[in-house]
Amino acid sequence: MKNRTIYNNVSKSLLLLFVVVLMSGCYSRRANGYLQSRSSLPTYERGVYEEYRLRPYDEIVLRVISSKKDVVSLFPTVNSQGGGDSQNPFTYTIYPDGTADLPHLSKVQLAGKTLREAELYLEQMLKEFSDDVTVKLALNTSTYCVIGSARRGYFPIYKERLTIFQALAASGNIYDYADFSEVKIIRETPSGTQIKTFDIRSLSILDSEYYYIYPNDIIYVDLSGKRFWATSSYSNIIGIISSSVGFVATMTNLVLQIKQAQQSATQK
């Protein structure tokens, strides 16, 4: 009778374990899905995209376009040490005081300007060389970083207005066991370091202040608290359950053997 009671208790425990693991052990769309509109998720206000402004230590690539070849030749675009390789552009660094030394132009104040503003500013300064000068600037240090529970590394910002989804896709996306509710962007600004925390599952992230990635951003994805039990497939759940059942069955058998040994000793 006691043995049957023990078996009944064990059966109930195994059934409860099976239900708990089945209900909470698999990553669902609610936990990991993007662009959800359910009311339990936070709502973010629409933001205004602000163009990146040059800052000290940025490296820029300068290209001068003109109908006069002698003018173009004054502004090299390829590093001479690169053997003529177009993948090794000639770059100019913005100094801590916000200025840069360019060919035939020294101490040009560029920090605080957008790329377009800097282009127009330089075009005006180069009018003395030619009336039809066009200036094109690009950031040579335009990258972002991904760390935490995602595929980590430095990645190039390959287009203007790169979104958080495009940035994560380029890096390999977020792991299933990550905490999608508290993704962080660490951003350096003229006023200091800012940390922006948001739920990446919310539909309202579109065009919000969290939507676009800027040069030198760090995307940090935290670890989910349910990583121990959660799994991405039901085959893994079955494996967990099988292991749990085997463990419980072994322990139950051990307990029964001990009780039987105690009963035998008592009868003697």
Side-chain angles (χ1 to χ4, degrees):
M1 187 66 179
K2 291 184 179 179
N3 292 346
R4 179 174 297 179
T5 301
I6 294 175
Y7 274 117
N8 288 337
N9 292 336
V10 171
S11 298
K12 292 178 181 178
S13 299
L14 290 177
L15 179 61
L16 179 61
L17 175 65
F18 178 82
V19 172
V20 170
V21 173
L22 187 62
M23 294 297 292
S24 65
C26 191
Y27 293 105
S28 65
R29 183 186 180 279
R30 290 175 65 87
N32 294 5
Y34 293 141
L35 304 179
Q36 300 181 50
S37 57
R38 52 192 173 93
S39 59
S40 59
L41 293 177
T43 301
Y44 303 113
E45 296 182 359
R46 192 179 185 88
V48 177
Y49 177 78
E50 296 182 2
E51 293 187 49
Y52 179 79
R53 294 188 176 274
L54 296 172
R55 63 189 62 173
Y57 306 108
D58 278 345
E59 293 182 2
I60 57 175
V61 178
L62 170 68
R63 182 186 178 197
V64 175
I65 303 171
S66 174
S67 61
K68 299 177 181 180
K69 293 184 179 180
D70 57 335
V71 173
V72 174
S73 65
L74 296 175
F75 305 92
T77 57
V78 178
N79 193 332
S80 60
Q81 298 179 354
D85 186 358
S86 61
Q87 298 300 318
N88 190 22
F90 203 104
T91 61
Y92 305 91
T93 301
I94 298 178
Y95 300 135
D97 63 357
T99 66
D101 288 334
L102 305 177
H104 310 285
L105 298 172
S106 62
K107 296 297 181 180
V108 181
Q109 186 68 40
L110 294 179
K113 294 180 173 60
T114 68
L115 286 175
R116 184 54 184 156
E117 290 172 350
E119 288 172 348
L120 295 174
Y121 179 61
L122 291 175
E123 286 177 4
Q124 291 299 318
M125 299 185 71
L126 296 178
K127 288 297 183 181
E128 62 178 282
F129 295 95
S130 176
D131 291 333
D132 66 345
V133 168
T134 300
V135 174
K136 294 295 182 182
L137 290 178
L139 270 178
N140 193 51
T141 50
S142 187
T143 61
Y144 65 95
C145 176
V146 180
I147 59 176
S149 299
R151 290 168 177 83
R152 306 161 189 167
Y154 283 90
F155 305 92
I157 295 181
Y158 59 88
K159 57 170 288 187
E160 188 178 1
R161 298 197 181 194
L162 184 74
T163 71
I164 180 68
F165 299 115
Q166 292 168 332
L168 290 172
S171 70
N173 219 334
I174 303 177
Y175 293 122
D176 285 338
Y177 54 74
D179 187 351
F180 284 58
S181 67
E182 288 196 5
V183 175
K184 294 180 174 63
I185 292 179
I186 304 170
R187 178 171 299 161
E188 294 294 334
T189 69
S191 59
T193 302
Q194 293 183 354
I195 300 178
K196 299 178 178 292
T197 305
F198 58 97
D199 192 324
I200 199 171
R201 300 170 300 174
S202 175
L203 177 63
S204 65
I205 193 178
L206 297 178
D207 292 322
S208 71
E209 62 174 309
Y210 314 105
Y211 192 49
Y212 295 104
I213 299 300
Y214 287 84
N216 304 314
D217 275 358
I218 299 174
I219 303 172
Y220 173 66
V221 185
D222 205 352
L223 182 67
S224 173
K226 63 179 288 187
R227 180 183 179 183
F228 178 79
W229 280 108
T231 179
S232 59
S233 66
Y234 281 98
S235 61
N236 291 339
I237 292 179
I238 293 174
I240 294 174
I241 294 175
S242 299
S243 300
S244 302
V245 169
F247 173 76
V248 174
T250 300
M251 294 304 296
T252 301
N253 186 49
L254 179 62
V255 171
L256 290 177
Q257 290 179 1
I258 293 174
K259 286 185 173 294
Q260 289 175 355
Q262 291 175 344
Q263 290 175 356
S264 299
T266 303
Q267 291 175 356
K268 291 180 180 180

